[in-house]
Amino acid sequence: MYWDIAKNRFVGAVSLGYAPNGKRRRPKVYGKTKTEVRQKIRDLKKEVQSGVKAPANYTVTDAVSDWLERGLKGRDEKGTIGKNRSMANKHLIPFIGKAKLKDLSADDVDDWLDDRSEFLATRSLRDLLAILRRSIEHAQRRDKAARNVALLVTAPEGRPGRPSKALNLKQAEAVLAAARPSRLYAYLVLSLLSGVRTEEARPLTWDHIFLETGDGVPPHVAVWRSVRKHGETKTRKSRRTIALPQQVVDVLEEHKRWQKQERAARGMEWSPASRVFTTRSGEPLDAANVRRDFKAIVKKAGLAPEWTPRELRHSFVSLLSDHGIPLERIAQLVGHTSQATTEAVYRKQLRPVITEGAEAMDEIFAQRRTTTAREA
C-alpha cells in the first residue's frame, strides 16, 4: 500500500493469480484512508474464494437489462417481457439503477420500496421486488454478483389496489345490449357466458368451435390456445373443452354468417382455420383493440368507465355462484388446476352453494328475459 500524492489517495494491490493468457492478475484498489483500502482488498479476496469476480462497474440497470434480454427467452415480448420492462423503466431503474450491484445493500432496496409504496399497490411492489431478485439471480449465474441482497427484503404494504369487480345480471344485460351493433358483440357474449380468458378468446379459430354436433354431444368450444408465447394456454389445466349455452351458439352462428359475407365482399378467401374475431381489416385482435372498444360499450351501457374486459370472467364466476353452481364445477369451467385457485382469485365473486344447474347460463338469462317480458 502506498500514498498517491498526485491523486491524493491510498493505493493497494492484491495478487489474484494468473489469467488464461499467463498474465499476472494484480488489480489495484483505491481509497482515501488505509482502512478503506484494506476493506476493498478483503472484499476482493472474498470474491476470489467464492469464485465470483463481480465487475466493479456493473450496475443494477445492467443486471435488469441483461435479465430482460437473456433471462426471459421464450417468453412473450408483448406480454411478460413488455410488462416487466415497463415496470422496471418506470419504478426501478430511475431510482436505484445507477447503483453498482456489488455495493447494493438490503437497506438500499428497503428504502427504494418504501419510497415507491406511496404510489404503488402492494401487488406492484411485490412484482418490482421479484424483478430485482430475478435480475440479481441471473447476474449470480453469470458470476457478476456475489450475493442477492433482494432476498433479504420483504415488500412493504402499498396503496390499496383496485379490486376486480363482477357485473350483476342487470349490468351484464346492459353491456350486451350496448354491444349488439358492434364487432365485439360475439366476443363479449362468448367471454361472459363461457368464462374464457380474453387471451384465449382472441386467438380462437373456427375449427376450434363446434356449433353443429351429433350423437348427443352439445355444441362446444375447444380452448386449446392463447396469445401467450408459442400459443400455450396459461396452464395445462387451462386446456379444456366447454359446452356452449344456446345463446352463445345463436350469436356465433350469426357472427359466422356475417363474417363470411364480409370476407366475400372484400374478395378474401374463407378458411375454417381463420380467426373468429378480427379487426375491420381482418387482422387479429390485440388487447388494446378489445380494451378500447369495450370501454366505449361500457360507457354506452351507462356504466362507470373503469370496467375492464377481464372482469367479464369475474362476472361469469359471480353469476354461476349466484345461481348455486358448486365451486369445484366453476373451477373446471374456468380452467383452474384446483378449486383453491378459484376461491383465492374469485373469492369476492363466490356465494354460498345451493344446487347445481347443467345449463346455468341459459337458465340465468332465460329467467331474466321472461321476467322482463312479464313486466312489460
Side-chain angles (χ1 to χ4, degrees):
M1 186 185 305
Y2 64 90
W3 175 255
D4 186 341
I5 299 177
K7 295 187 178 181
N8 196 32
R9 62 184 181 181
F10 285 99
V11 181
V14 60
S15 178
L16 299 181
Y18 294 89
N21 60 6
K23 187 177 180 180
R24 188 179 182 185
R25 286 175 172 164
R26 190 173 172 78
K28 293 181 179 180
V29 294
Y30 308 93
K32 294 182 179 180
T33 66
K34 290 183 178 181
T35 301
E36 184 180 352
V37 172
R38 290 192 185 101
Q39 182 59 51
K40 290 183 177 180
I41 290 175
R42 283 194 291 268
D43 291 341
L44 276 175
K45 289 180 177 179
K46 285 180 181 179
E47 288 181 2
V48 173
Q49 292 170 356
S50 66
V52 177
K53 306 175 185 64
N57 295 320
Y58 192 72
T59 65
V60 171
T61 296
D62 295 330
V64 173
S65 299
D66 285 347
W67 174 68
L68 289 170
E69 181 179 352
R70 299 180 178 142
L72 293 175
K73 290 180 179 178
R75 302 296 183 88
D76 183 23
E77 178 64 35
K78 291 185 178 180
T80 301
I81 298 176
K83 175 186 174 182
N84 283 299
R85 179 176 287 113
S86 177
M87 290 195 68
N89 288 337
K90 288 180 181 178
H91 302 290
L92 194 161
I93 291 175
F95 300 93
I96 59 171
K98 293 182 180 179
K100 295 177 182 178
L101 196 57
K102 65 190 297 294
D103 297 330
L104 187 70
S105 69
D107 286 342
D108 295 330
V109 178
D110 266 328
D111 291 342
W112 159 60
L113 289 173
D114 286 342
D115 174 72
R116 291 291 86 200
S117 67
E118 298 181 20
F119 308 96
L120 299 176
T122 303
R123 173 65 182 272
S124 296
L125 294 171
R126 291 172 182 167
D127 289 343
L128 277 175
L129 180 56
I131 291 173
L132 182 60
R133 284 175 174 173
R134 291 167 184 167
S135 297
I136 299 177
E137 181 182 342
H138 183 264
Q140 285 180 302
R141 291 197 295 267
R142 282 152 177 76
D143 290 340
K144 294 182 178 180
R147 64 174 186 153
N148 193 339
V149 297
L151 293 174
L152 308 176
V153 175
T154 302
E157 292 293 318
R159 298 179 62 181
R162 186 182 78 80
S164 293
K165 307 185 299 299
L167 297 165
N168 59 36
L169 182 55
K170 184 176 180 179
Q171 291 171 325
E173 290 187 318
V175 168
L176 295 184
R180 188 66 182 86
S182 77
R183 299 182 66 88
L184 209 61
Y185 178 59
Y187 180 99
L188 297 185
V189 171
L190 176 67
S191 298
L192 179 62
L193 274 67
S194 71
V196 299
R197 297 177 175 91
T198 183
E199 68 203 43
E200 296 168 340
R202 296 203 306 275
L204 269 179
T205 54
W206 284 111
D207 56 352
H208 279 181
I209 292 183
F210 303 87
L211 302 178
E212 298 180 4
T213 57
D215 298 327
V217 178
H220 57 276
V221 56
V223 184
W224 297 345
R225 302 172 64 247
S226 79
V227 293
R228 292 170 178 265
K229 191 71 171 180
H230 306 307
E232 296 295 331
T233 52
K234 188 172 183 180
T235 66
R236 183 182 60 82
K237 194 77 171 182
S238 294
R239 290 173 61 92
R240 62 205 188 278
T241 300
I242 306 172
L244 294 173
Q246 188 58 46
Q247 183 173 346
V248 177
V249 174
D250 295 341
V251 169
L252 286 176
E253 286 178 340
E254 180 186 2
H255 181 74
K256 190 173 186 177
R257 290 192 297 269
W258 166 80
Q259 191 181 76
K260 281 185 176 181
Q261 294 171 359
E262 182 184 53
R263 293 177 71 87
R266 296 185 179 184
M268 301 170 67
E269 183 179 353
W270 168 262
S271 167
S274 61
R275 290 184 185 263
V276 179
F277 308 111
T278 67
T279 64
R280 289 180 176 82
S281 60
E283 296 297 319
L285 289 177
D286 61 26
N289 297 139
V290 176
R291 283 195 301 268
R292 181 194 63 233
D293 292 348
F294 184 68
K295 185 175 182 180
I297 290 168
V298 166
K299 182 178 180 181
K300 183 179 177 182
L303 303 181
E306 69 267 11
W307 290 91
T308 63
R310 68 184 175 85
E311 287 168 331
L312 293 171
R313 185 169 158 88
H314 285 260
S315 303
F316 171 79
V317 171
S318 177
L319 290 169
L320 286 181
S321 184
D322 274 340
H323 197 68
I325 304 303
L327 178 58
E328 60 271 18
R329 181 64 178 144
I330 296 175
Q332 290 179 327
L333 291 170
V334 295
H336 283 160
T337 54
S338 71
Q339 67 182 60
T341 304
T342 311
E343 190 169 19
V345 177
Y346 298 103
R347 59 186 179 276
K348 293 183 180 178
Q349 280 75 43
L350 295 172
R351 274 69 173 179
V353 171
I354 303 173
T355 59
E356 180 176 3
E359 301 295 340
M361 279 299 174
D362 276 335
E363 293 178 15
I364 291 169
F365 281 85
Q367 289 172 1
R368 181 66 179 179
R369 288 196 297 273
T370 301
T371 303
T372 303
R374 289 174 179 173
E375 291 176 352

